[in-house]
Amino acid sequence: MHRRAITGIYSVITYYRCSISAPLWRCLRGMALWLTVIAGLVLPLSCLSYKPQSPAGLIEPSEQRTLYERNILNHIDDDPARAIQLVDLYGRESNLFEEDELSQYLSQASANIISHFNDQVGAEKFDEALALHQILETLQLAPQLKWSRDQIYLALTRQQLANGEILPALFSFAQIDSGGLLATDELQQLLNIAQQHNHHQAAQRINRILGKDRDSQTPALNLEEVLDGLVTVWVDRGYRIERGVGVPDRIVGSGFFIDTEGHVLTNYHIISSEVDSSYEGYSRLYLQLPSNLHLRLPARVIGYDPIFDIALLKAEWEPTYVFGLENSPHDIGYGSRIFALGSPIGLQSSISSGVISSPNRRFLQIGEALQIDAPVNPGNSGGPLIDDQGTLMGIVFAGIQEFYGINFAIPAQWVWRLIPQLYAGGQVEHAWLGASLFESQGKLEIQYVVPGGPADKLGIEKGSTLLKIANSAPRSISEAQELLVRHRPEALVRVEWSDNEAQHSGLVKLGSRPKSPIEELLKTQEVEYLFTPLFGIDVQRTNRNLPPREYVVQRVYPGTTADQLDISQGDTFQLYEWNVDSHRRLVSIRIVVKKRSNSFNDSGVQVGSLLDQPHFI
């Protein structure tokens, strides 16, 4: 029986104490205590340790070598990137292989990747070829290929144009370093598309290539014209019961057209019931147009990203105005003038104005959000944020209703990067190293390593310092996350880190980021192992069997929740309760602390933290 279940029995018996007779109470309490003690004796203490035990030291070196060799060979054909990571790992951590043996395995695995790359190019699956090209660049084997990165993007651009995939074609073109690879008629076709879809940066670049700089001026902002590109997003979820009465369950939000094919961007949280497998009720999505408020335009979800809170919808409609997405962000500084467009509480075609309060708030799981002071109300979510020239600055996604003027938007450059995955359909996946970082004095310290994740398999341990990802040195958590967003899940990258002993470098196959790392970890980990990423404290448990659990604080990270509560190293506390509120996205614990600063007197504290932490990579 699991220790958590037994502790739960004890808690339930204690809770219902008032309704149980005294003899029965004593009997049940004794049984629960004995069950807890037995669990502590029977269950090995190793269940509290998440590090997998290495076979090294448990078997003879010859058997260990055979095991490692079999592990490489099992992956070398089906998953050569994983085989290359194992070759790198075994070469760093053991002396069981000669250098030429590992080189042979490396060559065989690399040859398999090159062969797969050539197959994808031959089949005109250029998107898959790009993923393999990225791996071969990491291995410094790209010069051996007949196709360069620019040539693949060139072929992909032509393919997308032929298929009528307008925005993906503009995105692929933006990745080509040398625009001269395209013929003049192809450039002119792209220029017409860019101008029609208000992609001013793309139009300016093409005009420069064609020698038409005089034609690259950005048109003046016409707000009446811009409003024609808005939609109100409605999700009908039937009825919900409140106090025995059926009440219509409607979700209202905003959205905007981004191409003439009828694709609309909005927030994921508005349409989540359309794609979330855990939602079991009725859900129907439709749009309302400002030009015809009586028309219910059916729409469907094409792609969605729960982490960035973005969704791409498709309606059978040709808009008169579309919002242009840009390849790179404009200068966004404190006080920059902006307009928030949308349908607050369902009032279509509303405009509110304000400024950028801060361009770099850590409010998203990945990257930084824009804090704005423009009035935002329920229904504004999913609407565009533009500057005084009509350039898309971001997508409104949240407001703190209790505090006037504190609202947030997703920066447009993040949205632009997601375009290929959104148009491809389904849920967007992000690359994942599987670690939590603490940023201090220009250093990125590993404060938590996800058990079994890529960083764990690489050999990175808690307390190490992250130095480089893919040969780039991130100076902040946001920069580290941005480096990973450039790669796909299952990409092979080189990571460099240091610990107290030395500096290390290794190849790692990235994983796929969970929708909510903490939520996933709580399914397999005891909450005490997540105190560090959640509350900013390292702890050591001082009792193993009887509840409540007792801990001594080993370290407090500056600026974290625990630090703000004046918890310090050497303090002790007992954990009485912890709760996860998935709806409000919060984790809370109820503890009784003995603080050194308070002469070790008891002090009850309720500690809360966001479930979606912004420092995982």
Side-chain angles (χ1 to χ4, degrees):
M1 186 180 294
H2 196 280
R3 182 181 284 107
R4 183 181 296 178
I6 296 172
T7 304
I9 294 172
Y10 182 82
S11 301
V12 169
I13 293 173
T14 304
Y15 182 81
Y16 287 104
R17 164 70 181 95
C18 60
S19 60
I20 300 176
S21 64
L24 180 59
W25 154 248
R26 287 192 295 269
C27 178
L28 290 175
R29 183 181 63 176
M31 290 173 60
L33 288 172
W34 273 111
L35 280 172
T36 309
V37 172
I38 292 170
L41 295 175
V42 174
L43 293 176
L45 294 181
S46 61
C47 71
L48 296 175
S49 176
Y50 56 73
K51 290 292 289 182
Q53 196 168 22
S54 170
L58 300 179
I59 57 178
E60 295 296 326
S62 60
E63 296 177 350
Q64 185 179 343
R65 173 193 160 88
T66 301
L67 178 64
Y68 285 174
E69 190 172 30
R70 186 183 302 120
N71 205 9
I72 294 172
L73 293 174
N74 284 342
H75 291 91
I76 209 160
D77 292 323
D78 297 334
D79 190 355
R82 173 61 176 157
I84 290 172
Q85 181 185 356
L86 292 173
V87 168
D88 178 76
L89 177 66
Y90 298 155
R92 287 187 288 111
E93 296 190 352
S94 74
N95 56 358
L96 299 175
F97 296 90
E98 298 293 335
E99 186 174 343
D100 58 343
E101 291 180 292
L102 293 177
S103 297
Q104 183 178 357
Y105 291 134
L106 179 61
S107 297
Q108 187 177 347
S110 300
N112 287 338
I113 296 177
I114 292 174
S115 176
H116 191 200
F117 169 82
N118 291 330
D119 290 342
Q120 299 304 308
V121 170
E124 297 186 349
K125 296 181 178 180
F126 300 114
D127 195 57
E128 289 84 351
L130 281 168
L132 295 169
H133 191 277
Q134 196 174 49
I135 293 176
L136 293 168
E137 283 181 325
T138 298
L139 299 174
Q140 300 181 339
L141 296 174
Q144 300 180 19
L145 304 175
K146 295 180 180 179
W147 285 67
S148 67
R149 176 182 174 276
D150 274 4
Q151 288 172 321
I152 302 171
Y153 269 117
L154 174 64
L156 184 58
T157 301
R158 288 171 171 158
Q159 185 183 70
Q160 290 164 336
L161 284 173
N163 294 336
E165 300 170 5
I166 297 171
L167 251 62
L170 283 177
F171 179 91
S172 298
F173 169 72
Q175 312 309 310
I176 302 174
D177 292 333
S178 175
L181 292 171
L182 285 168
T184 301
D185 60 335
E186 292 172 321
L187 287 169
Q188 188 61 53
Q189 182 184 3
L190 279 171
L191 177 61
N192 295 338
I193 291 173
Q195 291 173 336
Q196 184 182 11
H197 290 80
N198 296 311
H199 283 253
H200 304 307
Q201 288 181 349
Q204 289 168 1
R205 182 187 181 208
I206 297 169
N207 273 319
R208 284 195 297 270
I209 296 171
L210 293 173
K212 299 179 180 180
D213 286 348
R214 63 183 182 276
D215 297 330
S216 61
Q217 297 299 317
T218 301
L221 174 63
N222 183 337
L223 282 175
E224 289 187 7
E225 181 184 22
V226 168
L227 289 174
D228 287 338
L230 295 179
V231 298
T232 303
V233 181
W234 289 89
V235 179
D236 180 359
R237 304 202 302 188
Y239 291 85
R240 65 178 183 273
I241 303 300
E242 290 185 2
R243 299 178 181 178
V245 178
V247 178
D249 189 1
R250 306 287 189 270
I251 305 295
V252 60
S254 302
F256 55 99
F257 287 106
I258 58 172
D259 66 23
T260 55
E261 302 298 314
H263 286 95
V264 170
L265 280 179
T266 187
N267 283 148
Y268 165 78
H269 74 261
I270 297 171
I271 57 83
S272 61
S273 60
E274 291 285 300
V275 293
D276 187 353
S277 59
S278 64
Y279 179 78
E280 298 178 349
Y282 172 83
S283 179
R284 185 173 183 180
L285 168 67
Y286 63 92
L287 310 178
Q288 278 187 328
L289 305 172
S291 58
N292 190 343
L293 301 182
H294 301 290
L295 175 64
R296 288 190 174 189
L297 190 62
R300 67 183 189 277
V301 180
I302 300 297
Y304 57 97
D305 186 342
I307 292 175
F308 274 107
D309 197 13
I310 297 173
L312 180 69
L313 315 180
K314 177 68 168 65
E316 299 306 317
W317 188 261
E318 185 174 349
T320 58
Y321 182 88
V322 298
F323 287 79
L325 293 169
E326 305 292 2
N327 180 30
S328 60
H330 287 252
D331 292 333
I332 303 177
Y334 293 93
S336 296
R337 181 82 169 165
I338 47 91
F339 298 93
L341 315 179
S343 305
I345 62 172
L347 298 174
Q348 290 91 349
S349 303
S350 296
I351 303 176
S352 59
S353 65
V355 298
I356 300 290
S357 303
S358 174
N360 49 9
R361 287 294 182 209
R362 297 290 295 156
F363 199 79
L364 294 163
Q365 280 196 56
I366 298 178
E368 295 172 335
L370 303 175
Q371 181 187 333
I372 60 175
D373 76 339
V376 167
N377 292 284
N380 270 117
S381 292
L385 188 75
I386 62 175
D387 66 8
D388 53 11
Q389 293 184 327
T391 302
L392 185 70
M393 294 286 100
I395 302 178
V396 175
F397 75 97
I400 301 179
Q401 299 301 318
E402 293 82 0
F403 300 96
Y404 177 79
I406 302 180
N407 306 304
F408 301 92
I410 306 159
Q413 65 266 24
W414 288 108
V415 183
W416 169 255
R417 290 183 179 181
L418 299 175
I419 283 299
Q421 297 99 306
L422 289 171
Y423 272 81
Q427 182 171 333
V428 173
E429 293 188 348
H430 295 284
W432 166 252
L433 189 58
S436 174
L437 300 180
F438 177 70
E439 187 177 324
S440 177
Q441 299 179 343
K443 292 184 178 180
L444 296 178
E445 180 184 342
I446 306 289
Q447 66 169 191
Y448 177 82
V449 179
V450 175
D456 191 26
K457 293 177 181 177
L458 187 58
I460 297 178
E461 295 184 349
K462 179 177 178 177
S464 301
T465 299
L466 180 65
L467 302 177
K468 288 185 179 181
I469 298 175
N471 299 320
S472 296
R475 295 167 296 177
S476 65
I477 296 175
S478 293
E479 288 187 8
Q481 292 173 334
E482 186 174 357
L483 288 171
L484 288 174
V485 167
R486 297 176 187 175
H487 293 81
R488 308 181 186 210
E490 301 189 352
L492 195 66
V493 300
R494 181 165 294 281
V495 176
E496 297 181 24
W497 72 98
S498 64
D499 52 29
N500 294 329
E501 298 178 356
Q503 185 169 322
H504 309 275
S505 175
L507 291 171
V508 61
K509 182 182 177 184
L510 299 175
S512 183
R513 184 186 181 98
K515 176 182 174 182
S516 175
I518 292 289
E519 213 163 10
E520 285 300 310
L521 288 165
L522 283 171
K523 295 177 182 178
T524 58
Q525 298 294 295
E526 295 286 349
V527 67
E528 60 205 63
Y529 292 119
L530 301 175
F531 281 168
T532 305
L534 279 173
F535 309 112
I537 50 173
D538 292 342
V539 300
Q540 181 180 353
R541 188 166 177 179
T542 56
N543 72 333
R544 291 295 180 185
N545 301 320
L546 301 179
R549 306 175 189 178
E550 295 180 352
Y551 305 91
V552 59
V553 177
Q554 302 290 309
R555 178 184 176 184
V556 179
Y557 292 81
T560 60
T561 301
D563 186 35
Q564 293 168 2
L565 291 173
D566 293 327
I567 296 175
S568 59
Q569 183 179 353
D571 291 350
T572 61
F573 68 89
Q574 295 177 326
L575 174 64
Y576 281 88
E577 182 182 6
W578 64 275
N579 291 297
V580 177
D581 188 335
S582 297
H583 178 69
R584 298 173 61 197
R585 310 305 296 164
L586 294 174
V587 179
S588 64
I589 57 174
R590 185 168 62 88
I591 61 176
V592 174
V593 188
K594 294 180 183 290
K595 296 183 179 180
R596 293 189 303 164
S597 59
N598 193 28
S599 302
F600 290 101
N601 290 321
D602 290 351
S603 175
V605 180
Q606 184 87 11
V607 186
S609 179
L610 293 174
L611 189 57
D612 301 315
Q613 289 293 323
H615 38 67
F616 275 93
I617 62 171

